[in-house]
Amino acid sequence: MKQTRDSIKDIWGERTPYKGEWPERIDERVIEEPDHWVQSACVLCSTGCGLDIGVKDGQIIGVRGRGVDISNHGRLGPKGLHGWIANNSADRLKKPLVRKHGKLQEASWDEAMNLIVEQSKKIIERHTSLAMGFYTSGQLFIEDYYTLSVIGKAGLGTPHMDGNTRLCTATAAAALKVSFGTDGQPGSYRDIDETDTIFLVGHNVASQQTVLWMRMLDRLAGPNPPTIIVIDPRRTYTAEKATVHLAPLPGTNIPVLNGLLHLIISAGNIDSDYIEKNTVGFNELKQAAAEWTPEKVEEVSRVPADDLRKAGEILGKTPTLLSTALQGVYQSMQGTAAAVQINNIHLIRGLIGKKGCGILQMNGQPTSQNTRECGADGDLPGFRNYGNQEHINQLAGLWNVDPVIIPHWAPPTHAMQIWRYAEQGLIKFLWISGTNPAVSMPDLERIRKILKNEDLFIVVQDAFLNETGIYADVVLPAALWGEKTGTFTNVDRTVHISHKAVSPPGEAKPDYEIFLDYANRMGFKDKNGNPLIKWKTAEEIFEAWKECSRGRPCDYTGMSYAKLSEGSGIQWPCNEQFPDGAVHIYTDGKFNTDIDYCETYGHDLITGAAHTQEEYKALNPKGKAFLKSAEYVPPYEMPDDDYPLWLTTGRLVYHFHTRTKTGRSKALNDAAPDSYIQISEEDAAIYGIAEGDMIEVRSRRGKVVEPAKIGDIKKGVVFIPFHYGYWDDPERSRAANELTITEWDAVSKQPHFKYSAVKITKVKEGRFYEIEEVPKTIENKIPVEV
Ligand code: SF4
């Protein structure tokens, strides 16, 4: 085995200090010497590191970082170096499964697809296409999403399509739209190299984007290291490196961010010229922030007033600033409103669209940007506006369909509403692809009840029979990364190509091929009676997608499979104006808010009420960014006498999502084999809990039993990682989402995983798991009825 380091123990590797450029460091892990290497990129977080797949005898046997790639300059983290092993798991789905006499049984593709088509037609005939729902992923490719999007919008004409991106990245998109008119990240990873201050809000980058953290550590190890400010209720790896660490109570990001805005504005640390020329709404923002004195912020959030002052001073004086946000913002109370305040800090200081000045409203999953771009979520393709008839006409022209079939009478249905419609019996067909809602959605008992409903026909398309698949009527075996060719886009707009390196196992197929098969069998036609979807190969889909993106912010027209295969990934927009892509957008202070171009007419940040085209016209931003303020609204559920503790959920460095892939890597699983509950030393003393004791955690929705881990968290707050479900341990209730609440952000509709009220009781004294513990074998633990 060739391995540049043991990334399980040495997560970030050796320092290569930044001195004018970020040096290459090629991380590699192979279990044998490959016959050949195939260009790709990692799909185990949203960083999108360029890598090559090592192949021997038709099997993936390792990976190495691509030194030429602008995203990672050769580095890979533990998930990237170990996660590929899931492709080779013995328990991959190799044939379709169809439920017969209550049990899932192997079937041919013809049998499975004919059943899906027969059910689709029956349901459409009785209930119209409004009974058809699709719940997809943040882990497929552009080619998969765009095909699915056209099926939903121009084939079936259903508005009920969204991704699990609703759970992880919807707030990023919403906040970018609110401030700048459309989705699209203003900055680049390169800003890490050039900034004076890094502001990490609810983003444990050291665990979640390990290669971005390597880049930050290399800045800290070089000359002129940046100042780091962290907002996080836990003392994480990231927080340990902070110059100032603010640890607010769950649900209080708005008071803290308003307090920072107040400090910056009241000290006069603003760029008045930039505000005047390029923004609207400054007076309202100033007024809304004014009440949030450091003392008032401390009262509500428990962030010490002096620490807030320190952070305000740094943010007010820094000549350049890179800010990032992730689930600590998005999955908490007032997610969109809070993410927007980060944008506001940049706008009032004029620190946007230039070297060292970026905002990365991070994505959680590797390809969630594409779910949004392609319209496989609650958006229209190419960041088009459902309220703008011209945008609908553009899509109708591209697809040669009547505009009326494209649902645009109301916003596309968001995932939380899709699940509610399924619960109410309004949606009768739900096609779930590349995601595992039986572990990842809030309030799992409710989700299981919906999945068990016999009137709901469920298709699950995945590479493994996961916790959701066991409820399906039909299970379709999908190819994984490395087994199909396609493209995807990371957080800083860099598009990578991932070439097919090996064949999928058994009869598994690329997701786009499955969707194309469905479109053909359904007989979707365009206006001329020709097949609606005319493409057959991945490259043909990419070419079709390029046309859809033409003239929109995410313009891919200057890219091709050949160009993407030349070396590094390329950042959009890539077109005649930017043939090699663009490092920053909004460099001239002009934003995408023009009424004919914007993706949304905006919302009230408190109620979520959508503004009309007429209301937007009255605001008349004409290319200026919006400075939107928000009052503080306390969380819907707070600790009380019955449930006295705050629960917050999150992620671990070794796992991705619900562990469907990372749980099948022995190295990753050995490093983090089980869930746990993290409690403060003070609470451990109050409840008489020692490290490793088994603790029952109850909320108003359910209970779990977890081993205790003590320290590095605020008193009164407990933390449980959300990755762990039941496929490898069906005997213990341990999924954090048994406890979480079905509430969501008013604007982005992203559910609130970051707070709920719980109580804890010790059930057994015991020893916490050890790192060497061998995970339970997969095969004998999957609850399969086959
Ligand atoms: S940082 Fe993310 S994309 Fe990069 S190797 Fe790690 S998991 Fe993969």
Side-chain angles (χ1 to χ4, degrees):
M1 179 189 294
K2 187 166 171 188
Q3 177 164 290
T4 47
R5 72 178 191 283
D6 179 356
S7 63
I8 298 294
K9 292 200 174 113
D10 182 9
I11 295 168
W12 306 289
E14 248 177 70
R15 294 286 47 82
T16 47
Y18 177 86
K19 294 175 189 163
E21 66 178 43
W22 195 34
E24 257 185 38
R25 187 190 84 193
I26 310 293
D27 293 341
E28 179 176 328
R29 179 173 172 272
V30 290
I31 52 176
E32 284 182 73
E33 205 48 48
D35 297 333
H36 62 281
W37 295 95
V38 178
Q39 182 182 347
S40 178
C42 179
V43 288
L44 287 165
C45 87
S46 59
T47 311
C49 297
L51 59 73
D52 293 320
I53 302 173
V55 180
K56 186 171 184 197
D57 300 331
Q59 251 213 333
I60 298 176
I61 47 93
V63 292
R64 72 173 177 204
R66 286 176 68 80
V68 293
D69 198 276
I70 54 172
S71 300
N72 57 323
H73 294 212
R75 288 160 190 78
L76 297 173
K79 289 196 286 283
L81 288 165
H82 290 272
W84 55 268
I85 202 85
N87 282 57
N88 302 338
S89 295
D91 62 337
R92 287 284 303 274
L93 283 167
K94 300 185 185 78
K95 277 182 80 72
L97 306 174
V98 168
R99 188 170 295 281
K100 293 176 193 163
H101 312 296
K103 293 194 171 176
L104 286 171
Q105 296 180 16
E106 288 190 351
S108 67
W109 272 101
D110 267 345
E111 188 183 353
M113 293 307 290
N114 285 341
L115 179 59
I116 293 170
V117 168
E118 185 193 311
Q119 285 293 326
S120 300
K121 289 186 173 169
K122 200 160 81 185
I123 288 167
I124 293 165
E125 197 184 307
R126 283 190 196 156
H127 307 282
T128 79
S129 288
L130 296 181
M132 304 287 288
F134 293 81
Y135 184 57
T136 188
S137 176
Q139 296 167 48
L140 309 185
F141 291 171
I142 285 176
E143 292 72 6
D144 307 310
Y145 295 134
Y146 189 53
T147 306
L148 179 63
S149 179
V150 179
I151 286 173
K153 286 163 180 61
L156 292 164
T158 174
H160 309 318
M161 180 180 289
D162 200 358
N164 64 2
T165 49
R166 189 62 52 189
L167 315 183
C168 81
T169 183
T171 301
L176 293 166
K177 290 183 218 174
V178 168
S179 299
F180 310 127
T182 66
D183 197 344
Q185 305 285 349
S188 276
Y189 296 162
R190 200 187 295 182
D191 292 322
I192 297 170
D193 304 339
E194 292 161 343
T195 196
D196 294 283
T197 299
I198 299 175
F199 183 33
L200 303 164
V201 190
H203 179 202
N204 182 9
V205 56
S207 277
Q208 295 319 304
Q209 276 80 23
T210 51
V211 170
L212 287 190
W213 184 237
M214 293 173 200
R215 201 161 183 161
M216 292 176 192
L217 289 176
D218 284 345
R219 275 299 314 282
L220 291 176
N224 307 315
T227 304
I228 295 186
I229 301 171
V230 169
I231 300 185
D232 196 312
R234 292 190 301 140
R235 188 169 163 78
T236 57
Y237 296 130
T238 312
E240 279 174 19
K241 294 285 181 191
T243 314
V244 182
H245 172 203
L246 310 178
L249 283 176
T252 61
N253 287 327
I254 279 286
V256 173
L257 290 161
N258 275 349
L260 291 170
L261 280 162
H262 167 62
L263 286 166
I264 295 166
I265 295 169
S266 60
N269 290 326
I270 55 172
D271 184 337
S272 301
D273 279 353
Y274 190 91
I275 293 171
E276 175 64 28
K277 269 193 218 143
N278 302 310
T279 69
V280 292
F282 178 68
N283 287 335
E284 292 85 343
L285 179 74
K286 182 177 171 184
Q287 216 176 332
E291 67 174 288
W292 290 100
T293 62
E295 286 66 29
K296 184 169 173 189
V297 173
E298 178 168 348
E299 197 185 305
V300 177
S301 71
R302 290 213 223 134
V303 166
D306 283 346
D307 288 354
L308 193 82
R309 282 195 187 91
K310 268 185 228 155
E313 173 82 7
I314 295 165
L315 292 171
K317 294 276 168 61
T318 184
T320 53
L321 174 65
L322 170 71
S323 299
T324 74
L326 193 58
Q327 309 307 1
V329 176
Y330 306 160
Q331 293 179 341
S332 195
M333 190 63 198
Q334 295 185 280
T336 305
V340 162
Q341 303 319 309
I342 298 165
N343 299 342
N344 288 343
I345 290 173
H346 282 259
L347 288 166
I348 63 169
R349 295 233 42 233
L351 301 179
I352 190 165
K354 57 189 181 188
K355 228 173 156 177
C357 296
I359 303 167
L360 297 170
Q361 296 281 356
M362 298 296 296
N363 302 332
Q365 295 174 84
T367 73
S368 51
Q369 187 69 41
N370 308 112
T371 323
R372 281 145 52 184
E373 290 170 3
C374 296
D377 67 341
D379 286 314
L380 289 180
F383 301 158
R384 287 178 173 85
N385 186 341
Y386 77 89
N388 184 330
Q389 188 58 45
E390 177 47 32
H391 288 192
I392 302 298
N393 293 344
Q394 287 167 9
L395 293 174
L398 272 169
W399 301 332
N400 192 29
V401 295
D402 191 323
V404 294
I405 194 171
I406 302 172
H408 64 284
W409 57 89
T413 317
H414 61 85
M416 302 305 288
Q417 193 66 32
I418 288 176
W419 284 93
R420 182 182 275 169
Y421 286 158
E423 186 174 35
Q424 293 168 334
L426 299 171
I427 285 181
K428 299 192 176 297
F429 176 107
L430 189 59
W431 190 324
I432 300 167
S433 48
T435 186
N436 191 10
V439 180
S440 57
M441 286 286 287
D443 191 359
L444 291 180
E445 184 55 27
R446 170 177 175 257
I447 296 301
R448 285 189 292 265
K449 271 189 201 144
I450 298 171
L451 289 168
K452 281 180 195 163
N453 180 355
E454 292 198 346
D455 288 338
L456 179 67
F457 186 82
I458 298 172
V459 180
V460 168
Q461 180 170 313
D462 210 287
F464 296 92
L465 189 62
N466 58 24
E467 289 90 336
T468 306
I470 60 172
Y471 298 103
D473 294 286
V474 179
V475 177
L476 301 175
L480 277 173
W481 157 95
E483 298 162 357
K484 61 180 182 180
T485 294
T487 48
F488 50 93
T489 309
N490 70 9
V491 178
D492 81 343
R493 297 173 279 107
T494 301
V495 183
H496 286 107
I497 190 161
S498 178
H499 286 283
K500 178 177 173 178
V502 298
S503 296
E507 297 176 19
K509 290 184 187 181
D511 296 272
Y512 70 83
E513 277 187 24
I514 300 172
F515 295 139
L516 285 176
D517 187 6
Y518 177 69
N520 289 335
R521 288 175 197 254
M522 287 292 289
F524 297 133
K525 296 279 190 285
D526 69 8
K527 271 200 305 199
N528 301 339
N530 295 319
L532 169 68
I533 298 181
K534 293 156 186 81
W535 52 75
K536 291 193 170 53
T537 66
E539 188 163 7
E540 285 170 7
I541 306 172
F542 186 73
E543 289 299 313
W545 161 244
K546 277 165 58 178
E547 281 313 305
C548 186
S549 74
R550 185 180 291 280
R552 297 301 299 162
C554 51
D555 192 333
Y556 283 66
T557 49
M559 296 184 202
S560 64
Y561 268 23
K563 189 165 177 166
L564 288 166
S565 304
E566 278 169 11
S568 173
I570 301 169
Q571 288 175 284
W572 63 247
C574 176
N575 48 22
E576 275 176 24
Q577 192 187 353
F578 301 104
D580 297 317
V583 177
H584 291 101
I585 55 175
Y586 309 133
T587 52
D588 55 359
K590 295 282 162 280
F591 297 88
N592 295 336
T593 52
D594 189 276
I595 194 163
D596 296 327
Y597 197 69
C598 64
E599 193 177 356
T600 168
Y601 300 130
H603 298 81
D604 182 287
L605 290 188
I606 302 295
T607 64
H611 297 154
T612 63
Q613 198 176 28
E614 285 309 307
E615 287 165 333
Y616 194 83
K617 209 179 270 172
L619 283 171
N620 197 16
K622 285 189 182 163
K624 290 184 176 185
F626 287 105
L627 291 167
K628 284 243 187 159
S629 57
E631 290 161 29
Y632 170 56
V633 179
Y636 299 118
E637 183 174 84
M638 295 174 77
D640 54 22
D641 289 348
D642 295 332
Y643 295 90
L645 298 170
W646 286 103
L647 166 71
T648 186
T649 66
R651 286 144 191 78
L652 302 177
V653 66
Y654 298 111
H655 286 302
F656 175 66
H657 218 246
T658 61
R659 291 169 61 250
T660 308
K661 288 181 273 193
T662 52
R664 286 171 165 91
S665 154
K666 185 175 183 313
L668 294 171
N669 211 46
D670 285 0
D674 198 0
S675 186
Y676 59 79
I677 175 171
Q678 185 176 1
I679 59 173
S680 70
E681 278 143 6
E682 295 94 321
D683 287 324
I686 292 168
Y687 288 90
I689 291 168
E691 183 90 2
D693 287 351
M694 294 305 286
I695 309 300
E696 182 186 280
V697 192
R698 267 188 190 272
S699 75
R700 289 183 174 84
R701 293 154 292 279
K703 71 160 193 178
V704 294
V705 177
E706 315 280 7
K709 185 176 181 348
I710 296 172
D712 292 332
I713 194 163
K714 244 181 152 62
K715 180 176 180 294
V717 181
V718 304
F719 167 83
I720 303 178
F722 94 108
H723 308 288
Y724 298 87
Y726 302 107
W727 61 266
D728 58 341
D729 189 351
E731 280 139 33
R732 193 180 98 228
S733 179
R734 65 171 182 169
N737 283 321
E738 303 290 352
L739 307 168
T740 47
I741 188 168
T742 303
E743 291 289 350
W744 56 81
D745 182 67
V747 181
S748 70
K749 323 299 182 199
Q750 183 158 352
H752 294 161
F753 293 106
K754 291 292 184 187
Y755 71 83
S756 48
V758 295
K759 60 182 169 189
I760 61 174
T761 328
K762 183 161 85 173
V763 290
K764 181 171 155 302
E765 285 186 7
R767 184 176 54 82
F768 188 50
Y769 65 79
E770 289 182 351
I771 207 150
E772 297 81 19
E773 188 175 323
V774 177
K776 296 178 174 73
T777 59
I778 294 157
E779 288 79 4
N780 62 14
K781 287 289 179 186
I782 296 179
V784 194
E785 297 176 348
V786 182

